[in-house]
Amino acid sequence: MSPVETDPRLKAESVTIRPLGAFRETVRVLGSKSYSNRYLALASLSGEPTVIEGALVCDDTRYLADALTRFGHVEAEVDAGAERITVTPTGRPMRAPAEEVYVGAAGTPIRILIAMAGHAEGTTVLTGTARMQERPMGSLLDALPGLGVTAEAVRGNGSPPVRVTGPSFRGGSTRISGAVSSQFTSSLLINATRAERDTEIHLVDELVSKPYVDMTVAALAEMGVTVERDGYRRFAVAAGQKLRGGTVRVEPDASGMSYFLAAAAVLGGTVTLPGIGAGSHQGDVGLVAALTRMGCTAEVTDDSVTLTGGDLRGIDIDMETMPDVVPTLAVVAAFAEGTTHISNIASLRIKECDRIAAVATELRKMGVTVEEHADALTITGGTPRGAVIDTYDDHRIAMCFAVAGLRTPGVVIKDPGCVAKSFPTFWQKLDTLAGPTTSTL
């Protein structure tokens, strides 16, 4: 049975977090969501059987696997217990699904699928949750015609539902904005592997969240495709390169490990996270350096990260390269002496929720002084108090505020099941720090 079926907290209205003392534990987090999505998409384009070991099986990857299967050219079989996804070619061509493709709140999958639908015969319609239907896709839609793809927002507002007509992804040269999301560039790079012509992608402005594109380039290299690049301004994928199948292994999720790093930081404990280290392309590994600046100590090897909490102090930090762990750092900052200023995070306004506003609102409920700016947060540390935390159907809000409850009594997390989007075993992993830490209401 999957974690969703076995952990009642994923179906509860709320959980109450039980405070802990200092701890010393080794925690094995699930595979990287970003890499799992990338390998899954690339496997579907390779034309060869592929086994993805250590894959993150969560809502996002399930939605992507289901969508790929519906195109008919592969069967993507998900095994949650084994943390494995197997992609098997069917020998049939890609065809647009007869019904619209629903991806829930899965942002990376829908952006990959919008470009991928350009390879499928017929008209594909892609949609998601109410929040997904507000998220901007215009930069990607504007770039696709240069590569031959006809794609449009059904409502003409630049957001899903999106209609794509194929097969039309020929390749060529296009220009794209990187100011909203790096996922648009990643989507084009992934799907260029199946283009009949060389593909060139020119960035017309500054690319946000650069490490995620580095991860895409690394995943392509792992599966046999070389990307020529000029920094973050131009990327080129030569036609005729062959994606290889076989077995690929996913490293642990740096975003997922952030909550255990934060727990060690706020409790003065020690946590070791194996399987990920100094060579990782995941930008969120940068949280280790940020916490070290705040007073923690860390040891990073080639295949593990160990962090020990210390006397926390506020810092001034630009987090453009690691936006997904901003909420985590913000919670740590609430317990630090002095003021922490987190800047260059405007992209958080268009995530699963407006994470800048959500973090500010929930920290204020806990008595923390927060200044909210258009692209920044300023947090003055102190002694947070217990509160009932709204999670906005956002997994990262639920998980980061659970960390606050490990130190502060009376923290209640509403809708704890939203963690299934990226970390369905989160509550179980939290239990490993010092026995059961949550109780279901």
Side-chain angles (χ1 to χ4, degrees):
M1 297 178 71
S2 73
V4 173
E5 295 171 305
T6 59
D7 189 345
R9 289 168 291 194
L10 294 175
K11 298 181 180 179
E13 290 185 5
S14 63
V15 295
T16 300
I17 309 301
R18 182 177 303 162
L20 304 177
F23 63 90
R24 179 180 292 273
E25 292 289 342
T26 296
V27 178
R28 296 183 180 275
V29 300
L30 299 178
S32 162
K33 179 163 71 76
S34 296
Y35 272 125
S36 295
N37 280 324
R38 283 159 174 77
Y39 285 135
L40 181 50
L42 290 169
S44 78
L45 296 171
S46 73
E48 296 185 6
T50 307
V51 178
I52 305 168
E53 298 282 4
L56 175 62
V57 177
C58 64
D59 287 353
D60 277 25
T61 53
R62 287 183 185 276
Y63 277 123
L64 181 55
D66 177 67
L68 296 172
T69 298
R70 290 181 61 192
F71 280 115
H73 66 302
V74 295
E75 291 182 358
E77 180 183 356
V78 175
D79 186 336
E83 297 180 2
R84 178 187 301 122
I85 302 175
T86 302
V87 181
T88 307
T90 63
R92 298 191 296 270
M94 287 186 70
R95 297 187 186 279
E99 304 295 329
E100 70 179 16
V101 178
Y102 179 83
V103 299
T108 302
I110 198 170
R111 286 160 173 150
I112 291 172
L113 290 165
I114 287 171
M116 188 177 289
H119 298 301
E121 182 178 345
T123 299
T124 303
V125 177
L126 299 129
T127 191
T129 61
R131 174 62 176 175
M132 178 61 74
Q133 293 181 42
E134 298 173 350
R135 298 181 72 177
M137 305 289 164
S139 297
L140 178 57
L141 300 180
D142 290 344
L144 283 169
L147 303 177
V149 180
T150 300
E152 59 183 353
V154 171
R155 299 192 183 104
N157 61 354
S159 299
V162 170
R163 181 188 297 115
V164 184
T165 303
S168 55
F169 198 121
R170 297 187 300 272
S173 180
T174 193
R175 294 162 59 84
I176 192 168
S177 171
V180 173
S181 173
S182 66
Q183 292 173 358
F184 301 149
T185 301
S186 288
S187 175
L188 298 183
L189 287 169
I190 287 167
N191 285 286
T193 60
R194 196 166 173 137
E196 62 189 43
R197 292 167 20 197
D198 295 350
T199 300
E200 285 196 3
I201 303 162
H202 298 267
L203 276 294
V204 300
D205 48 21
E206 191 69 18
L207 179 68
V208 300
S209 305
K210 294 178 179 69
Y212 288 98
V213 171
D214 293 335
M215 291 172 67
T216 301
V217 173
L220 284 160
E222 174 70 16
M223 296 186 71
V225 171
T226 299
V227 177
E228 179 190 332
R229 61 188 295 181
D230 297 327
Y232 297 95
R233 288 296 182 183
R234 173 185 170 273
F235 298 87
V237 179
Q241 297 188 76
K242 178 65 176 173
L243 284 165
R244 57 172 171 255
T247 300
V248 292
R249 175 160 288 278
V250 179
E251 70 180 23
D253 190 88
S255 307
M257 82 175 185
S258 74
Y259 310 108
F260 302 95
L261 295 171
V266 301
L267 294 174
T270 298
V271 67
T272 296
L273 300 133
I276 185 171
S280 177
H281 290 283
Q282 296 184 65
D284 289 348
V285 173
L287 181 65
V288 176
L291 294 175
T292 300
R293 288 179 57 198
M294 295 183 79
C296 299
T297 57
E299 180 182 357
V300 181
T301 69
D302 289 342
D303 61 358
S304 71
V305 174
T306 299
L307 185 126
T308 300
D311 294 331
L312 297 173
R313 57 183 177 270
I315 59 173
D316 192 327
I317 184 168
D318 182 325
M319 294 190 73
E320 186 271 328
T321 62
M322 45 179 166
D324 280 350
V325 296
V326 166
T328 312
L329 188 71
V331 166
V332 174
F335 295 95
E337 181 180 351
T339 298
T340 297
H341 183 67
I342 304 170
S343 61
N344 206 5
I345 56 173
S347 65
L348 294 185
R349 297 284 188 191
I350 57 168
K351 297 289 188 178
E352 284 83 341
C353 72
D354 180 339
R355 286 182 180 158
I356 295 177
V359 167
T361 298
E362 302 311 308
L363 283 178
R364 287 173 183 144
K365 284 184 185 177
M366 298 185 71
V368 179
T369 300
V370 183
E371 296 177 24
E372 178 185 343
H373 312 279
D375 65 347
L377 284 167
T378 303
I379 300 156
T380 301
T383 305
R385 60 174 181 259
V388 177
I389 302 299
D390 288 298
T391 53
Y392 309 86
D393 195 26
D394 191 326
H395 52 136
R396 304 224 178 272
I397 301 300
M399 291 186 282
C400 73
F401 279 93
V403 172
L406 296 178
R407 178 162 165 178
T408 300
V411 172
V412 178
I413 306 295
K414 295 172 70 174
D415 187 23
C418 68
V419 303
K421 183 179 190 298
S422 68
F423 202 158
T425 59
F426 174 76
W427 303 113
Q428 296 166 345
K429 292 293 183 181
L430 204 64
D431 291 347
T432 67
L433 296 183
T437 60
T438 60
S439 58
T440 305
L441 296 181

